[in-house]
Amino acid sequence: RESKLNLMKATKVGIDSPYNYVIVSLLVTTIKFLLIPSYISTDFDVHRNWLALTSSLPYTQWYYEKTSEWTLDYPPFFAFFEYLLSFFAPYFDPMMLRISAEPYRSSQTILFQRLTVIATDLFFFYAVWHFGRSLKSSQVNRLAIFVLTVANPGLLMVDHVHFQYNGLLFGLIVLSISYMVRDQVIMSSIFFCIALNFKHLFLYIAPAYFSYILSHYCFKTKDASGFVSRLMTVGSVVIFIFAMSFGPFAIHGQIPQVLSRLFPFQRGLCHAYWAPNIWAIYNIIDKILKMVWLKNGWEVPSDVASMTGGLVQETSHLILPTIRPPHTLILIIVFLLPMMFRVLKKPTIAIFLMAVVQSALTFYMFGWHTHEKAILTAIIPLGLIAGDPKMGKMFYFLGTVGHFSLFPLLFQPTETLTKIFLLLTYVAILQSMLLVLHSGKPIGLSIMEAGYLWGLVPVGIINSIGTIIFPTLPFLPLLVTSVYCSLGIIYSYIRMYIHLLRS
């Protein structure tokens, strides 16, 4: 009762005031500034090299340049974004724009790169605020969704410690979803296509968009001419944006080269750190079977690359059938179809939002060479619908597990307290905001779910000191983290899929 009374009082004094959103944004931005001295990952070298090659070479050479091992492998819009940033780089350190095989990491270069991420995150703040304005919800709930989304610890760890520009890119996705909630399908399509041409990872959620637009927008009209007209309108938007992005390279016959960079299938099934998905379980089963084979004196192939060597490479399984790209594609299609049929059958905005999450998780579960960071493609849209009690519960569970699974990205001992602080602080915020969103009702985790989350504590300890305890098994902490987190993520995937199909 006291909680509800406080919320009513807060509403009367203007909880929805822009002042409150600015305060939250400033607090989150302050944390980002405090993270500037964090460790320097190889992604700094990646983006620094992209700054150099886009500013030093004509665009016709961007996807061919390979002086550095960190070649350009993002879609053209992101390449032009790096080109735009390069105009400001000389004010900090002109040397960062020199193409070189060796990394260049001056303090001014690092500062420039950090500041560009912080600056472009302002667009993410705007997009989340815009989404809140699209909801038919209370002022308190809109602010709670804003806090949950902009304070996301995954973005803080991946963008402001490890280093990427996901805030900007997810801003495009959130804005697209916001327009879809407003039933402005063409505007939503525009921003989704722009996002897709910034980062092709967003193909993960394209099936949800395709199904919803086809059913809700194109089939909404009762006559054939209306259907054709709407289909051509959406198609024209897609073709125009992709022509803007890939057109300059198509003129010079470079599309095969660009696509070879965007989809490097020569890499292995798993990344160096196994993303916590179905293949992590598959890999560990293969390892266990190998031990059984050896114990029984059966022959095991010895000329197969190890799945636990920490290298990005083509590998084969020892006992189980080796997984190839076509296998992953077939599984993705099979597990996407029920979701797509559900959207086609009942194209409501609630179904669409759940389908976005499930589509992202399906690619994450079964995709080829999935990166652990891709879990954010599901977590961030899921946070937008945390006002639904069942989705709020799953957001708490998946958000905790998914963000924890990013810990190996911050592998330096000096970052241990940082990642623990970011996650625990967010979990506390999450608990408070879910109470607000659900009118004071508890999250309602089962004993099994709560016990699983508490199990993250010993896994975190192993992840932090495992290499000290087991110096001859450097991959063991990563393996334990990956396999344990995969169980929680697979559980979330199944639970939410069932909820989607029954909704």
Side-chain angles (χ1 to χ4, degrees):
R1 292 191 188 122
E2 184 178 353
S3 175
K4 290 183 178 180
L5 183 61
N6 289 336
L7 290 177
M8 291 173 63
K9 290 180 179 179
T11 302
K12 291 181 180 179
V13 298
I15 193 71
D16 209 32
S17 166
Y19 172 81
N20 292 320
Y21 289 89
V22 171
I23 291 298
V24 173
S25 301
L26 287 176
L27 288 173
V28 175
T29 303
T30 299
I31 295 174
K32 294 173 183 177
F33 275 103
L34 293 175
L35 293 174
I36 286 178
S38 301
Y39 90 103
I40 311 302
S41 74
T42 55
D43 271 5
F44 275 95
D45 304 320
V46 171
H47 289 276
R48 202 283 308 170
N49 185 59
W50 294 358
L51 282 171
L53 70 88
T54 55
S55 65
S56 304
L57 301 173
Y59 74 87
T60 53
Q61 298 181 32
W62 289 355
Y63 287 95
Y64 288 90
E65 164 58 36
K66 54 181 180 181
T67 301
S68 168
E69 63 178 307
W70 311 118
T71 53
L72 180 60
D73 59 4
Y74 268 35
F77 274 1
F78 196 90
F80 287 112
F81 167 70
E82 293 277 8
Y83 175 70
L84 179 63
L85 290 181
S86 69
F87 284 95
F88 303 94
Y91 294 102
F92 287 78
D93 184 354
M95 293 297 292
M96 79 172 77
L97 299 181
R98 186 182 63 178
I99 298 175
S100 61
E102 298 299 320
Y104 180 78
R105 296 177 174 180
S106 70
S107 58
Q108 292 303 306
T109 299
I110 300 301
L111 178 62
F112 171 74
Q113 291 180 282
R114 292 284 196 198
L115 292 179
T116 56
V117 179
I118 293 174
T120 53
D121 272 3
L122 296 177
F123 180 73
F124 182 63
F125 293 159
Y126 167 75
V128 180
W129 175 85
H130 189 278
F131 175 81
R133 288 297 177 278
S134 303
L135 296 176
K136 296 178 181 179
S137 185
S138 68
Q139 297 179 10
V140 176
N141 285 7
R142 288 199 293 262
L143 183 59
I145 292 294
F146 183 83
V147 173
L148 285 181
T149 308
V150 301
N152 184 284
L155 289 178
L156 292 173
M157 287 188 283
V158 173
D159 284 7
H160 301 278
V161 179
H162 185 75
F163 190 80
Q164 283 189 351
Y165 290 91
N166 289 294
L168 168 66
L169 307 182
F170 277 107
L172 292 167
I173 292 297
V174 173
L175 197 57
S176 171
I177 292 174
S178 179
Y179 278 114
M180 196 69 85
V181 172
R182 297 184 181 195
D183 205 23
Q184 298 180 26
V185 175
I186 299 303
M187 286 296 293
S188 175
S189 302
I190 289 172
F191 280 101
F192 177 69
C193 287
I194 292 173
L196 199 53
N197 281 276
F198 265 89
K199 191 167 186 174
H200 50 307
L201 177 70
F202 295 130
L203 280 171
Y204 279 21
I205 59 178
Y209 270 84
F210 171 79
S211 303
Y212 184 74
I213 292 174
L214 184 64
S215 182
H216 174 74
Y217 181 72
C218 296
F219 284 135
K220 197 172 185 179
T221 179
K222 296 182 184 289
D223 57 281
S225 60
F227 168 79
V228 173
S229 175
R230 292 191 173 203
L231 186 63
M232 290 182 64
T233 300
V234 176
S236 299
V237 167
V238 174
I239 292 171
F240 177 74
I241 293 175
F242 272 82
M244 288 181 61
S245 177
F246 286 87
F249 303 93
I251 291 172
H252 297 277
Q254 296 183 353
I255 295 301
Q257 175 63 20
V258 174
L259 293 180
S260 70
R261 288 285 185 86
L262 298 184
F263 302 100
F265 287 111
Q266 68 274 16
R267 295 179 181 177
L269 172 66
C270 297
H271 199 246
Y273 160 54
W274 300 348
N277 59 14
I278 197 72
W279 303 127
I281 302 298
Y282 193 84
N283 292 341
I284 196 63
I285 292 174
D286 189 64
K287 293 296 176 186
I288 294 172
L289 289 176
K290 174 193 172 183
M291 295 170 61
V292 173
W293 249 243
L294 292 174
K295 185 176 181 180
N296 287 276
W298 300 333
E299 184 179 354
V300 175
S302 59
D303 58 344
V304 177
S306 172
M307 288 292 294
T308 57
L311 299 175
V312 179
Q313 57 185 350
E314 189 72 58
T315 55
S316 298
H317 291 92
L318 297 171
I319 308 300
L320 295 177
T322 296
I323 302 299
R324 300 300 182 198
H327 304 143
T328 63
L329 178 60
I330 292 171
L331 285 171
I332 288 170
I333 293 173
V334 168
F335 281 89
L336 280 176
L337 286 176
M339 176 274 295
M340 296 177 70
F341 283 129
R342 182 61 177 146
V343 177
L344 290 170
K345 184 178 179 181
K346 190 175 181 180
T348 65
I349 192 62
I351 294 292
F352 165 72
L353 293 173
M354 287 189 283
V356 168
V357 177
Q358 287 306 114
S359 183
L361 278 178
T362 298
F363 276 89
Y364 183 86
M365 281 288 105
F366 304 102
W368 179 266
H369 198 71
T370 301
H371 284 246
E372 67 279 2
K373 299 182 285 290
I375 192 63
L376 296 177
T377 314
I379 289 178
I380 290 177
L382 180 58
L384 299 177
I385 55 175
D388 176 274
K390 289 187 177 180
M391 291 295 100
K393 173 183 173 180
M394 293 314 303
F395 178 61
Y396 181 85
F397 186 86
L398 179 62
T400 304
V401 179
H403 292 137
F404 179 88
S405 73
L406 298 174
F407 275 18
L409 282 175
L410 281 59
F411 59 89
Q412 297 285 353
T414 52
E415 316 303 331
T416 300
L417 292 179
T418 298
K419 59 190 180 185
I420 292 174
F421 169 79
L422 290 176
L423 181 57
L424 291 182
T425 301
Y426 186 74
V427 169
I429 294 172
L430 184 54
Q431 291 175 336
S432 301
M433 293 300 102
L434 288 179
L435 285 174
V436 171
L437 289 168
H438 304 153
S439 302
K441 295 180 182 178
I443 299 171
L445 293 177
S446 67
I447 295 177
M448 181 191 74
E449 292 166 341
Y452 173 86
L453 292 181
W454 278 109
L456 294 173
V457 175
V459 174
I461 294 173
I462 293 173
N463 183 258
S464 299
I465 63 175
T467 53
I468 300 174
I469 301 175
F470 307 103
T472 59
L473 300 171
F475 194 76
L476 181 62
L478 297 180
L479 185 149
V480 171
T481 303
S482 178
V483 171
Y484 190 82
C485 290
S486 67
L487 296 174
I489 294 174
I490 292 171
Y491 168 78
S492 301
Y493 176 67
I494 295 172
R495 284 291 305 271
M496 288 192 291
Y497 216 138
I498 293 173
H499 179 62
L500 169 64
L501 296 178
R502 290 179 175 176
S503 294

